[in-house]
Structure formats: C-alpha cells, structure tokens
Amino acid sequence: MKIIETKQVDVSRFTTQHDAFFVRIDPEDLSISILEILQDLVNLSWLNTFDQESVKNSFRSRATKTCNYIKGKLVDADTNTPLIDEAGEYIVSCLAKKALVSVYEHKDIPLTELLGRKISNNPGFDFYTEKDRLLTTGEAKYVKGVNAYNSSLSQINEFIDNNKHIDDIALLLFFVSDESLDNMNNGSFSIGAAFSATSIATDTLISNILDNHAFQKAIQNHTIFLLAVNIYE
C-alpha cells in the first residue's frame, strides 16, 4: 500500500476539545493487497508474547478457525483468485490499521475476529490500535463506488451508544495496557473511521465529511482518524 496524503483536519467550526486527522491510502494492486492480508492473518507470531501455553493454544485455536473462514471469503477456492467485492471490507480494515501503525506509530493489535469475536453479523468494532495509553476503535466500511464515511461513522456512533467498546475490553486484556483499558472504560479513546473512497478530490471529501451529522456527533467526544482507502473498481 502507499500513503498518499496525511493532514490534520480543521475542526475549529465545532465546539470540541478533540482533533481530527485524515489519511488517504492507495492499496495499489488490489489482488496483491488481498494476498498480503492473508499473509498477515496467518502470521500468528503475536502468539509468542504469551508465556502460558494454555492461553497461547486458546488464541491459536480461535485465530486458525477465523483465518480459514476469512480465506474462504477472500479467495475463490476453485480458481484461487482474489474476490475483490467480497474482500473490500477486509482491505479497508487491514490497510487502515496499517496506516495508523505506520503514520502515527500506533501499536498494532490483531483483528478482533482473530481474538475470538464472532466471525459474522458484524457484532462490534473491526480493529483496535494503541498509543500513549489511549485506544483507537476502528470500524471499516466498503461500499462499491461510494465514499463510505457515513456508513463507518454512523456505525461507530451506534456501537459506542451500545457500549460495544466496553464489550471488547475482555478481548483486549492480553494486548494493551491496563491504563488504556481504564481510559476506554471511562470514555476516553479515539476512533478510526475507515472507509472506501472514490477518486473524489481530498478537499471535497473532507468538506463533505465535516458536513456529515455522524461526524459532527463523534467529534464532540473523541479524536477521529479518517482513513480513506481508494478502491475505484
């Protein structure tokens, strides 16, 4: 992937103590992106951080089942070719998380699906990262031919209203600091709105996002990372 643009968004028109940042990401070759995502998923080296063999085996069992499920969604079993439409949301999710790690030096955390979350019906946030004792909750949306920021931001607001971030504290216990978990429990965390983007100009895209009601609600309580992944097909 290639990071095309990064900028801090001017949110001075709102009454808020929080910031907004924008990152534009080019997956370059979508087929290669899917293969790289699969490679990242099957790389379970993060299991080596655990001393207890029982804990390691538990996470390995969960992650292996999820990897097999995801591979079935991303690659045609008969032709072994990537399925772009099926893979869209995983591309957005994984590349957005990589961008937070590479651009803002966040700590990478395995996708919540690999940690034991249900692998269907979108029950909560797609990914988390951590920096300076603060977590970023990430939600990815892919809609073909659409700048899907409203879908992502609206889902994030709904998840927060329904305490989905609180539900995930038990999943994250082994991966982040106690301070980060305490902060999130008390409502202090950032959000990562990851979404598919068209060839729209960046300034126009940001202007549209600033006018979006879901963004205006979210920025009142949280710093927002807007993670636009270009998918033109």
Side-chain angles (χ1 to χ4, degrees), residues 44-205:
L44 303 181
S45 60
W46 50 270
L47 292 171
N48 296 326
T49 60
F50 301 118
D51 294 327
Q52 287 181 266
E53 196 64 29
S54 57
V55 173
K56 188 182 298 185
N57 284 339
S58 176
F59 277 111
R60 180 184 292 111
S61 177
R62 297 175 179 186
T64 300
K65 293 172 185 175
T66 302
C67 285
N68 291 334
Y69 171 83
I70 294 175
K71 184 175 182 180
K73 295 280 288 183
L74 303 191
V75 178
D76 186 288
D78 296 325
T79 64
N80 201 37
T81 56
L83 302 170
I84 302 298
D85 283 346
E86 292 290 339
E89 201 153 290
Y90 285 103
I91 292 173
V92 173
S93 182
C94 290
L95 297 191
K97 184 160 70 80
K98 278 188 173 183
L100 287 174
V101 172
S102 64
V103 176
Y104 297 105
E105 300 181 333
H106 285 204
K107 178 183 178 182
D108 197 359
I109 300 168
L111 291 177
T112 49
E113 285 189 20
L114 297 180
L115 304 183
R117 172 79 67 65
K118 286 173 58 181
I119 55 179
S120 61
N121 298 325
N122 197 18
F125 289 104
D126 293 321
F127 63 88
Y128 287 87
T129 59
E130 180 187 30
K131 184 177 182 180
D132 298 333
R133 297 181 298 282
L134 284 177
L135 290 168
T136 296
T137 64
E139 177 63 17
K141 290 296 181 186
Y142 165 75
V143 183
K144 188 173 183 178
V146 172
N147 299 295
Y149 57 85
N150 181 65
S151 297
S152 178
L153 288 162
S154 297
Q155 185 78 88
I156 286 169
N157 286 333
E158 180 181 334
F159 281 164
I160 292 174
D161 289 343
N162 291 325
N163 281 334
K164 293 294 186 178
H165 57 296
I166 303 298
D167 295 346
D168 284 342
I169 287 177
L171 288 179
L172 298 169
L173 189 61
F174 290 97
F175 300 92
V176 302
S177 68
D178 291 341
E179 292 87 349
S180 290
L181 293 177
D182 287 341
N183 284 332
M184 187 164 71
N185 186 57
N186 293 322
S188 182
F189 58 95
S190 301
I191 60 179
F195 56 93
S196 58
T198 67
S199 58
I200 185 174
T202 292
D203 288 345
T204 303
L205 176 57

